[in-house]
Amino acid sequence: MLQTAGRRGWPLVAGVFLGITITLYFDLNTTLHISHVHERMSWPALNTFRMRMTSPSHAERQNDLPCPDLSRLAADDDDTVSKQLEKEVRVLVWVMTHPDNHQSKARVVRDTWGRRVNKLLFISSINDSSIPTIAVNVSEGRKHLTAKSQKAWRYVYENHFHDADWFMKADDNTYVIMENLRYFLSGENTSEPVHFGHLFKTIVKQGFYSGGSGYVLSKEALRRWGEKGKDVAKLCRQDDSGEDNAMGQCMESLGVRVDNSTDALGRTRFHCLKPEHHVVGQYPAWYHRFDANGATVFKGREKMSDYAIAFHYIEPWQMEVMEYFVYQLTPYGIVRGLKHLNQPRNHTHLKVLYW
Ligand SMILES: *[C@@H]1O[C@H](CO)[C@@H](O)[C@H](O)[C@H]1NC(C)=O
Ligand SMILES: *[C@@H]1O[C@H](CO)[C@@H](O)[C@H](O)[C@H]1NC(C)=O
Ligand SMILES: *[C@@H]1O[C@H](CO)[C@@H](O)[C@H](O)[C@H]1NC(C)=O
Ligand SMILES: *[C@@H]1O[C@H](CO)[C@@H](O)[C@H](O)[C@H]1NC(C)=O
Ligand SMILES: *[C@@H]1O[C@H](CO)[C@@H](O)[C@H](O)[C@H]1NC(C)=O
């Protein structure tokens, strides 16, 4: 019976085999074609190209319901430590956005990682109650990003200085894992004049932080910036396109130092490129001149922390991919414990030590 069915099924099996072979052949051809194109494409062109190849159409994602909360816990999951840190290490994040992005990027930030921020602000040039955004009086455009940032910091200092222990600037295409940010900051002292991020070693003497992966100011850093009042205009550039190095220069002038944010094994936590480029260690040429963590020597995911904090160039649909991989997907039967990966420091303001 079985044998008869087997013999009758043979043409079908052969057909399927042929089908698969043909499909693989064309797939391989497409792949080869794509990697060939990659070699010749400049970095920004490559990103646009990848976007076209892989992103779901914008129409699919528009005006949909808020993303489901993926951080729901199973009965024996335990978030005690992260909840405790949420109270002890309060972080304000302000997100730089603009009117064209409110309904796409800003909205998705709000509905994904933004939900886990202690105090979340969106800074734009118009008030938009649907997000909501806060308007600062600036002209839009890349060349005014420094003005927008300076005015945003002024707004944060004047209205929210007492609402948080640490103050972060992020872009609307930055993805932040808040639990890991708080864990890292739990080992740092916010009364010190210090700030953190993905350190670049050019332009500013002590280095500056990439704006794209976000940078975090201690309360003392923000206090110095805020209390300088009008003098800050003399110490800090007030307008141009280099928002991140302008702020880096400004911090240096105020005596706010940069410090190392890698983990106890020297692995990176802030990432100014897309996750996949860090994971495979494929960097654009400029990155080798900028990265202070040794891009030429250290490559790939072995050099990325288990408790990574931030990634950049995350399109709205990819934010949900990140949510899935970080908060939902779990290998069955593996229960992960806490790792102590902060670099040892001689200070902390917390009662419990988390490293
Ligand atoms: C935005 O709203 C604030 C507070 O209501 C108001 O002071 C400000 O003038 C508004 N800005 C713009 C550009 O509409
Ligand atoms: C906004 O900035 C422009 C140019 O600096 C200035 O003329 C205008 O008075 C400002 N508006 C407000 C409401 O502050
Ligand atoms: C940060 O510390 C790690 C480990 O001590 C070291 O390998 C790395 O070079 C340091 N990075 C910077 C920018 O100082
Ligand atoms: C902490 O303090 C001890 C004793 O003063 C010193 O030997 C050690 O190097 C310090 N560690 C760090 C990470 O600063
Ligand atoms: C934190 O830094 C401040 C300012 O430098 C210092 O006075 C304080 O003792 C530090 N706290 C701890 C726990 O080291």
Side-chain angles (χ1 to χ4, degrees):
M1 184 65 192
L2 207 63
Q3 263 189 343
T4 321
R7 257 185 245 124
R8 268 203 232 116
W10 174 241
L12 179 68
V13 172
V16 169
F17 180 73
L18 188 67
I20 291 173
T21 313
I22 291 172
T23 313
L24 280 180
Y25 175 78
F26 281 107
D27 258 13
L28 190 63
N29 256 1
T30 320
T31 314
L32 290 177
H33 176 67
I34 290 170
S35 49
H36 180 64
V37 173
H38 278 189
E39 273 166 32
R40 285 181 291 121
M41 275 190 171
S42 68
W43 184 255
L46 180 58
N47 276 336
T48 321
F49 175 74
R50 286 221 175 98
M51 248 25 254
R52 277 208 311 274
M53 291 295 295
T54 52
S55 68
S57 77
H58 265 255
E60 279 173 51
R61 280 239 28 98
Q62 258 171 23
N63 297 330
D64 50 4
L65 296 167
C67 318
D69 185 356
L70 303 174
S71 48
R72 277 182 317 240
L73 299 172
D76 52 359
D77 286 347
D78 182 353
D79 64 349
T80 323
V81 174
S82 81
K83 285 284 178 252
Q84 186 63 26
L85 279 175
E86 192 178 328
K87 284 188 222 128
E88 292 189 27
V89 186
R90 296 170 308 154
V91 185
L92 176 148
V93 180
W94 72 265
V95 177
M96 174 102 86
T97 189
H98 63 87
D100 290 348
N101 285 359
H102 291 182
Q103 295 310 323
S104 48
K105 296 183 176 186
R107 178 179 287 270
V108 177
V109 166
R110 183 195 68 187
D111 294 341
T112 55
W113 65 268
R115 284 190 291 223
R116 296 182 277 267
V117 176
N118 296 80
K119 181 76 196 170
L120 180 68
L121 304 172
F122 289 92
I123 304 290
S124 184
S125 56
I126 59 167
N127 290 326
D128 176 348
S129 60
S130 75
I131 299 300
T133 63
I134 293 151
V136 291
N137 182 19
V138 287
S139 310
E140 282 296 354
R142 281 198 84 76
K143 62 183 199 297
H144 300 300
L145 286 180
T146 298
K148 199 182 205 172
S149 166
Q150 291 290 308
K151 290 188 179 179
W153 282 116
R154 178 60 52 197
Y155 179 86
V156 168
Y157 176 71
E158 284 174 1
N159 296 279
H160 297 286
F161 186 70
H162 302 290
D163 295 343
D165 306 306
W166 297 89
F167 303 85
M168 180 179 200
K169 176 258 169 183
D171 280 344
D172 56 12
N173 61 354
T174 311
Y175 185 88
V176 183
I177 298 145
M178 287 304 297
E179 293 82 355
N180 294 348
L181 174 60
R182 293 196 190 96
Y183 168 61
F184 165 61
L185 295 174
S186 74
E188 301 298 334
N189 182 347
T190 198
S191 306
E192 291 273 317
V194 68
H195 65 320
F196 298 102
H198 185 151
L199 189 62
F200 285 163
K201 62 187 175 187
T202 58
I203 307 176
V204 179
K205 194 163 167 234
Q206 67 170 357
F208 71 98
Y209 295 121
S210 154
S213 54
Y215 55 82
V216 194
L217 271 52
S218 69
K219 209 174 185 88
E220 173 61 15
L222 181 59
R223 191 189 63 74
R224 288 190 184 196
W225 185 90
E227 284 181 2
K228 285 290 167 186
K230 292 202 162 44
D231 290 348
V232 95
K234 285 177 222 145
L235 291 170
C236 308
R237 298 207 303 279
Q238 292 301 295
D239 199 11
D240 66 19
S241 62
E243 183 273 326
D244 48 10
N245 64 65
M247 193 60 181
Q249 185 66 62
C250 179
M251 289 289 111
E252 186 176 271
S253 308
L254 294 168
V256 175
R257 69 171 194 275
V258 297
D259 209 334
N260 198 329
S261 63
T262 59
D263 71 14
L265 302 174
R267 301 177 304 177
T268 51
R269 301 199 235 214
F270 289 88
H271 302 95
C272 73
L273 306 173
K274 282 169 174 274
E276 54 265 42
H277 294 291
H278 286 285
V279 166
V280 301
Q282 183 199 38
Y283 309 129
W286 64 262
Y287 186 75
H288 295 271
R289 293 194 311 276
F290 279 68
D291 177 53
N293 286 313
T296 47
V297 187
F298 300 123
K299 287 188 170 191
R301 72 187 171 108
E302 277 172 40
K303 283 292 155 192
M304 296 164 72
S305 182
D306 302 4
Y307 293 138
I309 291 169
F311 294 96
H312 189 208
Y313 301 119
I314 310 293
E315 295 297 319
W317 64 276
Q318 290 172 312
M319 296 241 168
E320 291 173 52
V321 174
M322 294 296 288
E323 290 280 297
Y324 174 69
F325 280 115
V326 177
Y327 293 97
Q328 187 182 348
L329 178 71
T330 321
Y332 181 80
I334 298 179
V335 179
R336 299 213 151 115
L338 295 175
K339 296 171 191 171
H340 301 286
L341 286 175
N342 279 344
Q343 296 207 25
R345 300 274 204 243
N346 277 339
H347 59 243
T348 180
H349 58 293
L350 302 179
K351 285 183 231 84
V352 185
L353 300 186
Y354 292 94
W355 62 70

Coordinates of all heavy atoms in Angstrom, one line a residue, residues 51 55 58 105 108 172-173 274 312-320:
M51 N 16.7 49.3 2.4 CA 15.4 49.7 2.8 C 14.4 49.3 1.7 O 13.4 48.7 2.0 CB 15.4 51.3 2.8 CG 15.2 51.9 4.2 SD 15.8 51.0 5.5 CE 14.2 50.5 6.1
S55 N 11.9 46.7 3.4 CA 10.9 47.2 4.4 C 9.5 47.1 3.8 O 9.2 47.2 2.7 CB 11.2 48.7 4.6 OG 11.0 49.4 3.4
H58 N 5.0 51.6 3.6 CA 4.6 52.5 4.6 C 3.1 52.4 4.9 O 2.7 52.5 6.0 CB 5.1 53.9 4.3 CG 6.3 54.2 5.0 ND1 6.4 55.0 6.1 CD2 7.6 53.8 4.7 CE1 7.7 55.1 6.5 NE2 8.4 54.4 5.7
K105 N 8.0 57.9 12.7 CA 9.1 57.5 13.7 C 8.7 57.8 15.1 O 8.9 57.0 16.0 CB 10.4 58.2 13.2 CG 10.9 57.8 11.9 CD 12.2 58.4 11.5 CE 12.7 57.8 10.2 NZ 14.0 58.3 9.8
V108 N 6.1 55.5 16.7 CA 6.6 54.2 17.0 C 7.6 54.2 18.1 O 7.5 53.3 19.0 CB 7.2 53.5 15.7 CG1 7.7 52.1 16.1 CG2 6.1 53.3 14.6
D172 N 14.8 60.1 16.6 CA 13.6 59.3 16.4 C 13.9 58.0 15.7 O 13.0 57.2 15.4 CB 12.5 60.1 15.8 CG 12.9 60.8 14.5 OD1 13.9 60.4 13.9 OD2 12.1 61.6 14.0
N173 N 15.2 57.7 15.3 CA 15.5 56.4 14.8 C 16.6 55.7 15.7 O 17.4 54.9 15.2 CB 16.0 56.5 13.3 CG 17.2 57.3 13.1 OD1 17.7 58.0 14.1 ND2 17.7 57.4 11.9
K274 N 23.7 50.6 12.5 CA 22.6 49.6 12.6 C 23.2 48.4 13.3 O 24.4 48.1 13.2 CB 22.2 49.2 11.2 CG 21.3 50.1 10.5 CD 21.2 49.7 9.0 CE 20.2 50.5 8.3 NZ 18.8 50.0 8.4
H312 N 21.4 52.6 16.4 CA 20.9 53.8 15.5 C 20.4 53.3 14.2 O 20.5 52.1 13.9 CB 22.1 54.7 15.4 CG 21.7 56.0 14.7 ND1 22.6 56.8 14.0 CD2 20.6 56.7 14.7 CE1 22.0 57.9 13.5 NE2 20.8 57.9 14.0
Y313 N 19.8 54.2 13.4 CA 19.2 53.9 12.1 C 18.2 52.8 12.1 O 18.1 52.0 11.3 CB 20.3 53.5 11.1 CG 21.4 54.6 10.9 CD1 22.7 54.3 11.2 CD2 21.1 55.8 10.4 CE1 23.7 55.2 11.0 CE2 22.1 56.8 10.2 CZ 23.4 56.5 10.5 OH 24.4 57.4 10.4
I314 N 17.3 52.8 13.1 CA 16.3 51.8 13.3 C 15.0 52.5 12.7 O 14.4 53.4 13.3 CB 16.1 51.4 14.7 CG1 17.4 51.0 15.4 CG2 15.1 50.3 14.8 CD1 18.1 49.8 14.8
E315 N 14.6 51.9 11.6 CA 13.3 52.4 11.0 C 12.1 51.9 11.8 O 12.3 51.0 12.5 CB 13.2 51.9 9.5 CG 14.2 52.4 8.6 CD 14.2 53.9 8.4 OE1 13.0 54.4 8.3 OE2 15.2 54.5 8.4
P316 N 11.0 52.6 11.7 CA 9.8 52.2 12.5 C 9.5 50.7 12.5 O 9.3 50.1 13.6 CB 8.7 53.0 11.9 CG 9.3 54.3 11.4 CD 10.7 53.8 10.9
W317 N 9.5 50.1 11.3 CA 9.2 48.7 11.3 C 10.2 47.8 12.0 O 9.9 46.8 12.6 CB 9.0 48.2 9.9 CG 10.2 48.3 9.0 CD1 10.6 49.4 8.4 CD2 11.1 47.2 8.8 NE1 11.8 49.1 7.7 CE2 12.1 47.8 7.9 CE3 11.2 45.9 9.1 CZ2 13.2 47.0 7.5 CZ3 12.3 45.1 8.7 CH2 13.3 45.7 7.9
Q318 N 11.5 48.3 12.0 CA 12.6 47.6 12.6 C 12.5 47.7 14.2 O 13.0 46.8 14.9 CB 13.9 48.1 12.2 CG 14.2 47.7 10.7 CD 15.5 48.4 10.2 OE1 15.7 49.6 10.4 NE2 16.3 47.6 9.6
M319 N 11.8 48.8 14.6 CA 11.7 49.0 16.1 C 10.9 47.8 16.6 O 11.1 47.2 17.7 CB 10.9 50.2 16.4 CG 11.7 51.5 16.0 SD 12.1 52.5 17.4 CE 13.3 53.6 16.6
E320 N 9.9 47.3 15.8 CA 9.1 46.2 16.3 C 9.9 44.9 16.2 O 9.7 44.0 16.9 CB 7.8 46.2 15.5 CG 6.9 47.4 15.9 CD 5.7 47.5 15.0 OE1 5.0 46.5 14.9 OE2 5.5 48.6 14.5

